Amino acid sequence: MCGIVGYIGQKEAFPILIKGLQRLEYRGYDSAGVALLNGDLNIYKCKGKVNDLLAHTDGKKLCGNIGIGHTRWATHGEPNDINAHPHTSSDGKLAIIHNGIIENYAVLKEELIKRGHTFESDTDTEVLVHLIEEVRKKGGMPLEEAVRTALQQVVGAYAIVVMSNDEQRKLVAARKSSPLVIGIGKEENEFFIASDATPIVEHTREVVYLNDHEIALMDKESGLSIRTIENKEKTPFVQALEMNLEMLEKGGFDHFMLKEINEQARSISDSMRGRLDAALGTVRLGGLSEHQQKFFQAKRIIIVACGTSWHAGMVGEYLFEDFARIPVEVEYASEFRYRNPIINEDDVVIAISQSGETADTLAAIRLAKEKGATILGICNVVGSSISRETDAGAYTHAGPEIGVASTKAFTAQLTILSLMALMLAKHKGTMSRSRYMKLVQELDRIPEKITAALKCEEQVEYISGEYKDASNFLYLGRGYNFPVALEGALKLKEISYIHAEGYPAAEMKHGPIALIDEEMPVVVLATKSSTYEKVLSGIQEVKARKGKIIAIANEKDPELERLSDHVIYIPETEEPFAPMLSVVPLQLLAYHIAVMRECNVDQPRNLAKSVTVE
């Protein structure tokens, strides 16, 4: 959840660290800190955001060309100055930054206290740096060897960077179940370290993604070397970054979230490019090619995901069952491995994650692999853990998503799921040629319809002003639009802090209708579908109880307009692709209400972009 960054080279480290932390702040923003080596080890840290750290360091000694930085999402210990990273050893010679959770920190801490160590913070990370100090003191070993030996005693997840006042030409990094990437600088023996590539892209295009149980030594004299925790030497695999700096800027928008909402036509188009040929009616996903037959022969599909990706998975269930007539189960990854699920060797498990680092989804993947299932991944980040641990998969090509509340990643995931379902349906022969071609051609038109749907923003902004002070919202949808109702409610909760719930429209009368009064806004997804008349009936039930109706529709209907307080029109499409369009006004509604409530849209409280801890 936290963001870590490091630099070793000839340049001044502090500006690089600060800019890197600003790029990583979407991963956590409870506190921030840096450590710099220049003869002395200087550490500056404080509660708050990176800008608070900048103010805190004003006038301080900031020189040094080796340094590490951290922006925190709190797990162990409340957000405050003391719990902020970096943490130091008891002798003040070692500094560490850490993303992850040390599960056995309490046992380690108790043993270290018996050996005379005292602790200032409530964090598990401080225990780790004291453990490295203890190992190093006992064995008189170099920093990289002390880190390797100490990590053999650690249970949990970590991406760490460690520096020592005694060895001022070194940085040591290690990872297990938390992401870490090393950028190869343009100067000799210059390296950049970060949780993901966003802080690195402006400095280099060459990166090395550390694998689990690997420890990297970056030395000003000897360069980069990697060994496993068992002390086996590894050859660094250098890859080219598929990212540019422009993707990380707001591009004239007030917030990253609004920019990313407006990028959806492009991100959907990019996710289809080279994969869909509407004229020929071909769908090809090259990332699945080696395991395509297992996908085609699957007896069942299990989709595992969390949050917004879980909602995408629910739409995927409708797509696969509708198109390919194959049974599908959609599971919360966080619950999947704790309920002793039945998994067979002829099952295909599809894991969905924007970051490719979601800890619960990774745990679900590992369980399914142990049972012999074929694992396919859908993620947005090249080189991420899920892309490496799955058997095959497809990238969404949505580009970096900086806003914590996911928008373009959701519709890009729906695009990939649509392509997979069409490909499977064609192979299995579960759909007529005419129906198949109609769907393929309509999917190809979705980007231009997204552009048209975005024209509702001015109306949505007006509606937001009417309901920004509401205490509760209900979102209703049926069929393909039910998961969109869940997603719309989640977006509002995440960034405006208004309580909201999504329901299948037909479930209203089974309980939630008791909540309806003149103060309750109800967002109803009333696009044309096989259940349209049923949805209209539900609207009548809400209106009879004086609820306020905000309808999302795509065809003029006098009855709908009579019953609704507001109707937002979006383009019509084939029912299976309706979620990609109907979610757009819901994203905009959440965004504008949050702005009007003066909430931090891109960095909502208590949340972080990538949930890399359980």
Side-chain angles (χ1 to χ4, degrees):
M1 300 287 267
C2 306
I4 65 178
V5 62
Y7 174 76
I8 179 169
Q10 301 305 316
K11 300 183 180 73
E12 285 294 321
F14 183 75
I16 295 169
L17 299 179
I18 287 295
K19 190 66 175 286
L21 291 179
Q22 289 170 334
R23 296 239 187 268
L24 287 172
E25 200 165 21
Y26 67 91
R27 296 180 65 90
Y29 29 85
D30 294 335
S31 58
V34 296
L36 299 163
L37 267 177
N38 186 23
D40 298 321
L41 176 59
N42 295 307
I43 294 178
Y44 309 105
K45 58 182 185 175
C46 64
K47 178 183 177 181
K49 300 190 176 183
V50 176
N51 283 340
D52 297 305
L53 176 63
L54 267 174
H56 177 68
T57 55
D58 188 36
K60 302 285 198 329
K61 183 181 178 182
L62 301 174
C63 55
N65 49 32
I66 301 180
I68 55 178
H70 188 275
T71 180
R72 183 173 185 244
W73 186 84
T75 52
H76 290 76
E78 67 178 81
N80 59 29
D81 293 355
I82 293 173
N83 289 330
H85 295 217
H87 288 287
T88 57
S89 54
S90 57
D91 61 10
K93 292 184 177 182
L94 301 178
I96 191 173
I97 51 176
H98 170 218
N99 171 35
I101 290 180
I102 307 303
E103 295 175 12
N104 64 333
Y105 83 100
V107 174
L108 295 171
K109 187 174 185 177
E110 184 178 347
E111 182 61 30
L112 288 166
I113 288 171
K114 289 178 183 176
R115 298 183 186 184
H117 290 255
T118 58
F119 295 88
E120 296 183 0
S121 76
D122 301 316
T123 69
D124 54 335
T125 304
E126 188 184 9
V127 175
L128 180 53
V129 73
H130 279 245
L131 177 62
I132 296 169
E133 174 192 22
E134 182 70 16
V135 169
R136 192 173 183 227
K137 181 171 61 179
K138 189 185 297 183
M141 56 187 69
L143 180 61
E144 62 273 20
E145 184 62 17
V147 170
R148 188 183 70 80
T149 304
L151 289 177
Q152 291 175 331
Q153 302 178 49
V154 167
V155 177
Y158 52 80
I160 61 170
V161 186
V162 188
M163 59 199 298
S164 169
N165 201 29
D166 290 335
E167 298 179 72
Q168 298 214 357
R169 69 173 200 273
K170 294 180 179 179
L171 282 180
V172 176
R175 74 153 277 176
K176 180 193 171 193
S177 302
S178 288
L180 203 59
V181 58
I182 298 171
I184 312 297
K186 295 174 184 176
E187 298 175 3
E188 185 179 6
N189 295 335
E190 178 185 47
F191 302 100
F192 304 83
I193 310 101
S195 295
D196 62 42
T198 53
I200 290 173
V201 65
E202 62 189 283
H203 303 292
T204 180
R205 309 292 295 181
E206 295 186 328
V207 296
V208 174
Y209 294 97
L210 276 192
N211 294 309
D212 275 358
H213 307 290
E214 288 185 347
I215 300 163
L217 168 64
M218 289 145 283
D219 191 305
K220 279 189 173 185
E221 295 179 6
S222 59
L224 173 67
S225 60
I226 298 175
R227 305 188 82 85
T228 67
I229 200 166
E230 292 85 16
N231 207 26
K232 294 179 181 177
E233 187 174 357
K234 304 285 283 189
T235 301
F237 175 57
V238 181
Q239 300 183 50
L241 264 185
E242 296 182 11
M243 186 186 296
N244 59 61
L245 194 56
E246 185 179 303
M247 294 177 176
L248 307 177
E249 304 295 345
K250 290 180 184 173
F253 290 93
D254 290 337
H255 299 90
F256 280 109
M257 182 180 178
L258 185 59
K259 178 195 176 196
E260 289 156 8
I261 291 171
N262 279 271
E263 286 178 335
Q264 288 177 109
R266 180 199 58 77
S267 59
I268 290 172
S269 181
D270 286 350
S271 295
M272 291 191 291
R273 184 173 290 113
R275 294 165 166 171
L276 177 72
D277 188 320
L280 296 176
T282 57
V283 177
R284 181 181 178 276
L285 291 167
L288 301 185
S289 56
E290 288 187 17
H291 291 268
Q292 190 165 283
Q293 286 309 309
K294 287 191 175 181
F295 175 51
F296 288 160
Q297 294 165 10
K299 296 289 191 295
R300 178 180 61 155
I301 292 173
I302 302 170
I303 298 175
V304 292
C306 300
T308 287
S309 296
W310 185 78
H311 296 154
M314 289 187 68
V315 177
E317 177 181 18
Y318 284 77
L319 289 165
F320 284 117
E321 292 192 344
D322 185 7
F323 291 7
R325 311 308 299 151
I326 183 171
V328 180
E329 296 176 17
V330 183
E331 302 271 2
Y332 282 113
S334 54
E335 290 295 319
F336 184 62
R337 68 185 174 126
Y338 291 109
R339 64 169 191 79
N340 194 21
I342 298 170
I343 306 169
N344 301 308
E345 291 186 2
D346 52 9
D347 290 335
V348 165
V349 174
I350 300 175
I352 310 175
S353 166
Q354 187 282 139
S355 67
E357 301 292 348
T358 310
D360 288 317
T361 307
L362 280 164
I365 287 170
R366 289 163 188 155
L367 173 63
K369 285 181 87 170
E370 288 173 9
K371 304 286 188 180
T374 299
I375 317 295
L376 307 179
I378 298 175
C379 67
N380 190 39
V381 180
V382 175
S384 60
S385 295
I386 284 176
S387 70
R388 287 180 286 169
E389 293 207 22
T390 48
D391 295 309
Y395 289 114
T396 53
H397 299 306
E401 189 178 61
I402 307 300
V404 166
S406 182
T407 52
K408 65 176 180 176
F410 175 70
T411 49
Q413 288 166 353
L414 296 186
T415 304
I416 299 299
L417 288 164
S418 298
L419 293 171
M420 291 175 73
L422 284 166
M423 190 169 74
L424 187 57
K426 184 178 182 182
H427 175 81
K428 290 168 69 73
T430 51
M431 184 183 293
S432 69
R433 175 68 179 172
S434 60
R435 172 74 171 149
Y436 173 83
M437 287 300 296
K438 189 175 183 181
L439 287 170
V440 164
Q441 289 164 5
E442 180 60 17
L443 183 57
D444 189 54
R445 287 191 286 265
I446 291 296
E448 66 187 64
K449 292 190 175 186
I450 290 278
T451 300
L454 285 163
K455 293 178 181 176
C456 73
E457 183 175 3
E458 186 175 339
Q459 181 190 7
V460 171
E461 187 173 6
Y462 169 78
I463 294 169
S464 300
E466 294 286 298
Y467 299 103
K468 64 181 175 63
D469 296 319
S471 300
N472 300 281
F473 266 74
L474 281 177
Y475 288 72
L476 304 178
R478 292 196 75 159
Y480 279 97
N481 273 326
F482 165 50
V484 181
L486 296 175
E487 175 62 11
L490 177 61
K491 285 290 142 305
L492 191 70
K493 283 184 279 195
E494 283 180 314
I495 63 172
S496 75
Y497 317 139
I498 295 174
H499 174 255
E501 295 296 335
Y503 280 94
E507 287 296 303
M508 271 293 295
K509 52 186 170 289
H510 295 287
I513 201 165
L515 299 171
I516 302 297
D517 60 20
E518 61 273 12
E519 301 297 321
M520 175 70 81
V522 181
V523 180
V524 183
L525 294 152
T527 55
K528 281 294 180 183
S529 69
S530 57
T531 58
Y532 178 75
E533 296 302 326
K534 303 283 187 184
V535 171
L536 205 62
S537 176
I539 290 174
Q540 290 171 328
E541 291 174 353
V542 172
K543 201 62 189 172
R545 289 153 181 85
K546 299 186 172 152
K548 302 294 185 183
I549 299 290
I550 304 166
I552 312 299
N554 49 32
E555 188 174 296
K556 293 281 184 181
D557 182 338
E559 180 67 3
L560 179 65
E561 293 191 341
R562 182 183 68 81
L563 291 169
S564 303
D565 296 271
H566 313 273
V567 182
I568 301 167
Y569 288 102
I570 58 174
E572 190 170 356
T573 186
E574 291 290 320
E575 190 175 347
F577 305 139
M580 285 188 267
L581 298 178
S582 58
V583 77
V584 171
L586 306 192
Q587 294 169 343
L588 290 168
L589 183 69
Y591 170 79
H592 283 292
I593 288 177
V595 169
M596 290 174 184
R597 290 167 66 90
E598 299 184 351
C599 300
N600 190 328
V601 171
D602 287 333
Q603 299 173 350
R605 69 187 182 203
N606 303 332
L607 296 178
K609 183 66 180 173
S610 178
V611 185
T612 59
V613 296
E614 291 187 57

